[in-house]
Amino acid sequence: MAFRDVTGQERAVNMLLRTIQRGRIPSSYLFVGESGIGKKFAALNLAKALNCLKTVSSQQSAVSSHKKSRVNSQESEVINKRFQTHDPRLMTHDYRVIDCCDECSSCKKIDSGVHPDFLLISPEGGQIRIEEIRAIDRALAFKPFEGRWKVVIVDEADTMNPFAANAFLKTLEEPPKDSLIILISSNPDRLPDTIRSRCSRVNFTPLSHEACKRVIETVKKQSGVRSQESGVKKRLSTPARLSMGRPGLAISADLIKERAWFLKLLHGMLKAEKDGWTSREEMERWFDLIVILLRDAAIIKITQDEKNLINIDLKDYIKKFSSSMDLKVIIENYQKLNTLRGYLNFNLNRSLTWNYTGSILRKLKTEN
Ligand SMILES: [Zn+2]
């Protein structure tokens, strides 16, 4: 996979390609946007593009100040011939290609996480600790060994604990030459200002329904689901809608199964049963789905048109669910629960939140 495979993020990708083309790569980026929309995928492809053996001949001006890779010129030439992209957004004015080739040994090593100049840090047990920051410092202590750039990706950077964040600030303040740190975050507000202000921010946005479906289709195809299989496209439509523009979500989880879990808990809640969430992540996901359900209930009231529903395959259920409800009350409660969803960041008490939400929903069902 390469930059040309990043779907629905033209603005962010174009910006990154321009910085490579001009050779003005900052020492640190902060990729921001909801989870599952391609931030890590773009970061990985940036690491590949900066170290791709193919780009040696096409990017000489951009990287002239940097160490040239120990490239086998024959390999470079063969890849250059085989590499054909005609997507205009990936071409510079003089048609030099700046995307990675996805075929050379450097691209393959980065993909499999074994490139000596590439490091990917992710939280363990929900946190990034100081040990991980020390690993970054060790990785950046020497010049690039094999490629042109040392690239470190810090996924879910906002999970750094205070000690890690403090140590990391020093790393950001003294960036070694030929190195790039890419922080990825869906909750950038949780990062200290001092870290945020030292990074060049790149915003990623949720995808359109069609783009989302395309990404899910491509990934399913690669993982062996035959595209010609009847009904595949139709079956992908609901997960694409439920992912709300975040195809990564539909790829990493079975959203139909997740929705069945949500409905089971909802019915338990309406019957005033004991709380059924086991973690904050579950609470967040459950709130995503209740907000979607109320949104669908409002849509069916306003338009009577089922094709605008996110839960398009549950149209009869939505009609029944909303039949006794007043539109104004649905909208009021949608707003109420949406606000509550935002407060989950503050570690709300699980059973109190369950009881409170249950009381809102029970009232909504009986008020009219
Ligand atoms: Zn390559």
Side-chain angles (χ1 to χ4, degrees):
M1 293 287 194
F3 266 129
R4 58 190 174 280
D5 301 307
V6 181
T7 304
Q9 302 295 354
E10 283 74 14
R11 212 172 147 171
V13 168
N14 275 331
M15 198 196 122
L16 294 171
L17 291 177
R18 272 199 306 273
T19 56
I20 301 178
Q21 183 197 352
R22 291 174 187 158
R24 283 189 194 161
I25 297 138
S27 57
S28 50
Y29 273 122
L30 171 60
F31 286 7
V32 166
E34 290 181 48
S35 56
I37 57 173
K39 301 185 298 296
K40 192 156 112 187
F41 187 47
L44 200 68
N45 282 308
L46 178 56
K48 284 163 71 177
L50 289 173
N51 280 312
C52 178
L53 302 182
K54 178 209 72 67
T55 59
V56 167
S57 56
S58 57
Q59 280 190 61
Q60 257 165 5
S61 64
V63 297
S64 58
S65 63
H66 300 290
K67 180 188 162 199
K68 283 179 189 152
S69 171
R70 294 167 198 146
V71 62
N72 174 333
S73 61
Q74 223 176 352
E75 183 183 7
S76 174
E77 200 179 315
V78 170
I79 293 164
N80 263 329
K81 276 186 193 156
R82 282 165 64 193
F83 184 73
Q84 291 176 336
T85 176
H86 301 292
D87 185 342
R89 77 189 161 96
L90 298 179
M91 299 292 188
T92 58
H93 296 304
D94 54 359
Y95 295 96
R96 288 179 306 174
V97 180
I98 45 178
D99 200 355
C100 70
C101 75
D102 198 33
E103 290 181 355
C104 71
S105 54
S106 171
C107 283
K108 286 193 169 141
K109 278 183 188 173
I110 290 177
D111 266 338
S112 46
V114 296
H115 197 294
D117 300 315
F118 174 73
L119 179 67
L120 172 64
I121 298 282
S122 306
E124 273 176 36
Q127 267 190 14
I128 293 177
R129 297 181 170 81
I130 197 157
E131 290 77 27
E132 273 80 43
I133 307 303
R134 290 195 183 121
I136 297 177
D137 289 339
R138 279 196 300 278
L140 297 179
F142 301 100
K143 284 182 172 181
F145 178 72
E146 191 177 303
R148 297 183 295 276
W149 289 81
K150 288 255 179 194
V151 181
V152 175
I153 298 176
V154 186
D155 197 16
E156 297 181 52
D158 51 89
T159 61
M160 270 186 224
N161 69 26
F163 302 109
N166 216 12
F168 186 65
L169 193 56
K170 289 189 184 71
T171 312
L172 279 181
E173 278 168 347
E174 294 156 17
K177 199 171 161 277
D178 304 338
S179 70
L180 172 65
I181 299 174
I182 308 168
L183 302 183
I184 296 177
S185 177
S186 49
N187 294 296
D189 295 344
R190 289 191 206 159
L191 277 166
D193 277 349
T194 42
I195 289 184
R196 273 204 312 263
S197 63
R198 279 177 173 79
C199 302
S200 298
R201 184 174 171 131
V202 182
N203 292 320
F204 288 72
T205 48
L207 277 66
S208 67
H209 174 62
E210 281 312 311
C212 204
K213 220 163 76 180
R214 266 202 318 276
V215 175
I216 300 170
E217 230 168 73
T218 309
V219 174
K220 297 266 173 191
K221 223 186 270 179
Q222 279 164 355
S223 58
V225 178
R226 282 175 295 135
S227 60
Q228 59 272 49
E229 203 180 316
S230 71
V232 163
K233 283 193 177 167
K234 207 175 160 201
R235 283 208 302 278
L236 290 180
S237 181
T238 305
R241 284 169 190 254
L242 279 171
S243 74
M244 303 280 281
R246 298 167 290 173
L249 217 63
I251 291 160
S252 63
D254 183 339
L255 297 186
I256 301 291
K257 216 163 138 188
E258 191 184 52
R259 189 184 56 187
W261 160 83
F262 154 76
L263 288 172
K264 190 168 164 256
L265 260 60
L266 172 65
H267 295 147
M269 183 185 267
L270 290 171
K271 282 191 235 156
E273 286 174 6
K274 201 171 152 280
D275 85 87
W277 300 314
T278 60
S279 64
R280 199 182 82 191
E281 288 70 32
E282 276 194 13
M283 286 171 85
E284 284 176 353
R285 200 53 202 135
W286 191 91
F287 269 90
D288 283 345
L289 292 167
I290 187 68
V291 166
I292 290 175
L293 185 67
L294 292 182
R295 175 247 180 226
D296 277 352
I299 292 284
I300 209 88
K301 286 265 172 200
I302 298 166
T303 67
Q304 299 293 324
D305 188 357
E306 58 210 41
K307 75 170 186 296
N308 294 318
L309 295 179
I310 288 171
N311 293 288
I312 194 161
D313 55 335
L314 291 187
K315 52 182 186 291
D316 295 334
Y317 176 85
I318 309 274
K319 277 182 194 163
K320 201 170 154 221
F321 178 80
S322 61
S323 61
S324 63
M325 300 176 184
D326 180 62
L327 176 63
K328 191 169 158 270
V329 184
I330 296 176
I331 293 172
E332 273 169 18
N333 284 286
Y334 167 89
Q335 285 163 340
K336 225 183 255 179
L337 293 185
N338 213 8
T339 310
L340 194 55
R341 161 88 182 72
Y343 289 149
L344 295 180
N345 280 343
F346 299 105
N347 286 324
L348 297 186
N349 177 286
R350 212 181 287 164
S351 79
L352 285 180
T353 310
W354 173 275
N355 293 338
Y356 175 66
T357 312
S359 70
I360 291 178
L361 291 171
R362 281 192 296 275
K363 212 168 147 213
L364 174 66
K365 291 286 281 176
T366 54
E367 205 162 63
N368 303 283

